[in-house]
Amino acid sequence: MTSEAKVTISSHGKLDRALQSSSRAAQALKGQLNEHKPGEVIVKVKQSDGLQQELTSDYNLEVIEKFDLPANMMRGMQGDLLHLRLPVDVTTEQGLAMLRQDQRVAYAETNDILHAIDNGLPNDLNPKLWGLDNQGQGGGTVDADIDGPEAWRTSVGKNQSQGGPLIAVIDTGIDVAHPDLTANLWTNPGEIAGDGIDNDGNGTIDDVHGYNAIDGSGNPVDDVGHGSHCAGTIGAVGNNEQGVVGVQQNANMMAVKFLAKNGGTLADAVKAISYATKMGARVTSNSWGGGGYNQALKDVLENSPALHIFAAGNDKNNNDAKAAYPASYDLPNIIAVAATDKNDKLAGFSNYGLKTVDLGAPGVDIYSTTPGGNYQSYNGTSMACPHVAGAAGLLLATDPSLSNDQLRELLLGTTDKIPALEGKTVTGGRLNIGSAIAKLSGQEPPQPPAPPPANEGGCFNKIFG
Ligand code: CA
Ligand code: CA
Ligand code: CA
Ligand code: CA
């Protein structure tokens, strides 16, 4: 008993002395280590046998493993290789420094975390997502896409806890339980779910993930599918080994419902935009239109600090000749989006307008999330719009200080010019978020905003699906 106690004391003494004499070396290692398992080291002792016992006892080390290397490897190794755990109150830096100064140790290293060398692409970049990355699949044209993978080298977006920009999906609601959406939904920090109380006093009871303007509730249930589909394009959870990936792999999306199967009312649209604005939406995604020129709707859009992305409409209409509201409101914080296909052609159904439709984005055969944990392909400028909204989100995740004018310039100033959109849109181009992010991270000064589309003319309860 006595001799055991002695050993313990003497071990501790050795440990303390070693820590002290190596403290400067430990300090120098701070911040220099690769990603590693804290508190673990890989050590080679200079000779086999007795040394291991001595060393581990001196420094109170736990042997996790002594690697059982085959004889034909050991010949060249000249010493045992050990996987050790440091005492709990010794940092990895301290442990390394201490062991490296010990004559018995050939080397001591961190137990580094190693990663498979992959192509950097999320594991759910489904080949159906030609809009994000077109390799010519399904009869498409190579690179007739928005260059998602190129953009993701810089940013994959940010969710709410990462401080990501709030994107309001103003639509038919969102399936908030969809496994490919849930993690990327906004949660109202001031609201307690299911207690029947408006905890944050914002006028809506139990508005946890958003708002339903139709019944005034906090339950934006998607009984149509359209809104969930749009949400998936903006921000389906990336790299989670299921389904699809959105333009933003991490996102912060709010569900704001004012549309039912047969449309919605102007009054509910005003309430929807008002709610999104009140709760701090930075971008709104609006895949709807119809009605005529509504001053009230124009007023709320204009006076919301958010950037509003609108679908141009699905009536093969020239919006310059016959306006399609709300996309056609002449406001600097509205971007109107036409739909292109996997060959960079303007979709047959898509509205267009040299002065009133800003750019194109993928909107034919777009695969995304639908209620009940499902996935489907839809067509429409409704599907093009969320590509742009998601792109705006990626830019804001990269630089939250961007103004609407700067966002507009980045999105519109970096399109890929395509013949099908020449003379048909303000930019003559299709969204390219890869180029937009490159321009942003290249620190080029933002240029003056493009002149806002002119023209007003003389429709609002249609879903452009
Ligand atoms: Ca591409
Ligand atoms: Ca509330
Ligand atoms: Ca509540
Ligand atoms: Ca996914």
Side-chain angles (χ1 to χ4, degrees):
M1 290 300 277
T2 323
S3 78
E4 267 183 44
K6 233 174 169 179
V7 168
T8 309
I9 291 161
S10 114
S11 297
H12 254 94
K14 279 186 183 170
L15 174 59
D16 290 343
R17 281 196 301 278
L19 286 171
Q20 213 155 39
S21 63
S22 62
S23 68
R24 281 178 73 158
Q27 197 66 32
L29 287 172
K30 282 229 165 94
Q32 302 301 308
L33 303 180
N34 295 321
E35 187 188 358
H36 64 273
K37 294 266 281 193
E40 294 185 14
V41 288
I42 308 290
V43 167
K44 196 179 96 170
V45 291
K46 283 181 179 164
Q47 307 155 26
S48 306
D49 309 326
L51 277 181
Q52 172 194 326
Q53 188 69 41
E54 229 180 82
L55 192 74
T56 52
S57 145
D58 281 357
Y59 300 141
N60 200 16
L61 303 167
E62 178 195 339
V63 180
I64 299 170
E65 186 165 21
K66 176 179 171 182
F67 293 99
D68 183 19
L69 301 178
N72 54 354
M73 283 179 81
M74 282 308 291
R75 272 199 296 277
M77 292 285 293
Q78 296 180 329
D80 285 333
L81 200 56
L82 307 170
H83 179 190
L84 303 174
R85 193 183 323 278
L86 298 167
V88 283
D89 48 352
V90 174
T91 68
T92 314
E93 286 87 351
Q94 287 177 314
L96 283 179
M98 162 181 88
L99 288 163
R100 284 173 180 172
Q101 72 172 7
D102 191 297
Q103 296 297 318
R104 295 165 293 188
V105 171
Y107 53 76
E109 298 178 319
T110 43
N111 187 16
D112 287 350
I113 309 293
L114 310 178
H115 298 279
I117 296 173
D118 59 25
N119 51 16
L121 295 174
N123 53 33
D124 44 5
L125 179 57
N126 191 305
K128 291 178 178 171
L129 301 172
W130 66 265
L132 295 174
D133 187 27
N134 194 336
Q135 305 279 345
Q137 65 268 37
T141 301
V142 174
D143 209 29
D145 61 38
I146 71 165
D147 280 347
E150 288 82 348
W152 295 330
R153 285 179 206 147
T154 302
S155 176
V156 294
K158 290 180 177 169
N159 61 28
Q160 184 173 18
S161 66
Q162 298 165 324
L166 181 57
I167 317 277
V169 185
I170 302 181
D171 210 289
T172 62
I174 293 180
D175 173 11
V176 300
H178 197 300
D180 229 358
L181 295 174
T182 302
N184 280 349
L185 296 178
W186 169 80
T187 299
N188 183 352
E191 194 64 36
I192 297 164
D195 64 355
I197 296 168
D198 177 15
N199 310 86
D200 65 346
N202 69 349
T204 306
I205 294 165
D206 294 348
D207 51 325
V208 178
H209 299 299
Y211 172 63
N212 182 336
I214 300 172
D215 64 10
S217 79
N219 182 18
V221 59
D222 185 6
D223 47 357
V224 180
H226 190 264
S228 299
H229 197 279
C230 292
T233 296
I234 294 168
V237 177
N239 217 26
N240 65 344
E241 295 183 329
Q242 59 181 303
V244 294
V245 54
V247 176
Q248 298 176 96
Q249 301 185 36
N250 303 324
N252 181 18
M253 300 184 290
M254 167 195 278
V256 186
K257 177 183 177 72
F258 87 100
L259 295 167
K261 196 166 180 59
N262 298 316
T265 65
L266 170 65
D268 287 349
V270 168
K271 284 193 272 187
I273 294 159
S274 168
Y275 178 88
T277 303
K278 184 185 341 185
M279 302 312 287
R282 184 65 192 82
V283 175
T284 71
S285 185
N286 305 273
S287 294
W288 48 275
Y293 182 100
N294 295 119
Q295 190 63 45
L297 189 56
K298 185 181 178 188
D299 280 354
V300 294
L301 288 166
E302 183 170 18
N303 289 293
S304 158
L307 179 68
H308 308 291
I309 316 297
F310 271 91
N314 295 346
D315 304 307
K316 310 177 190 175
N317 178 58
N318 180 352
N319 290 1
D320 291 2
K322 178 175 182 261
Y325 299 107
S328 292
Y329 292 124
D330 180 17
L331 296 175
N333 64 338
I334 286 186
I335 290 178
V337 189
T340 56
D341 71 9
K342 61 183 71 165
N343 295 300
D344 267 341
K345 299 286 189 267
L346 180 66
F349 54 77
S350 182
N351 290 5
Y352 56 91
L354 178 58
K355 293 177 180 165
T356 54
V357 177
D358 294 295
L359 79 171
V364 180
D365 198 14
I366 303 303
Y367 190 65
S368 186
T369 46
T370 51
N374 295 313
Y375 301 87
Q376 276 180 269
S377 289
Y378 287 3
N379 300 319
T381 51
S382 281
M383 284 65 244
C385 168
H387 278 93
V388 178
L394 268 191
L395 290 168
L396 285 164
T398 309
D399 181 357
S401 75
L402 292 170
S403 68
N404 284 345
D405 287 349
Q406 289 172 323
L407 279 173
R408 186 182 185 91
E409 176 58 23
L410 283 167
L411 292 165
L412 304 192
T414 56
T415 59
D416 288 331
K417 309 296 173 205
I418 58 174
L421 293 179
E422 201 187 323
K424 299 257 182 175
T425 59
V426 175
T427 60
R430 184 246 313 119
L431 175 70
N432 187 316
I433 185 56
S435 299
I437 291 260
K439 184 172 177 185
L440 174 60
S441 42
Q443 314 265 318
E444 283 183 44
Q447 293 160 26
N455 194 26
E456 287 169 9
C459 128
F460 166 92
N461 51 9
K462 280 186 270 182
I463 302 174
F464 296 151

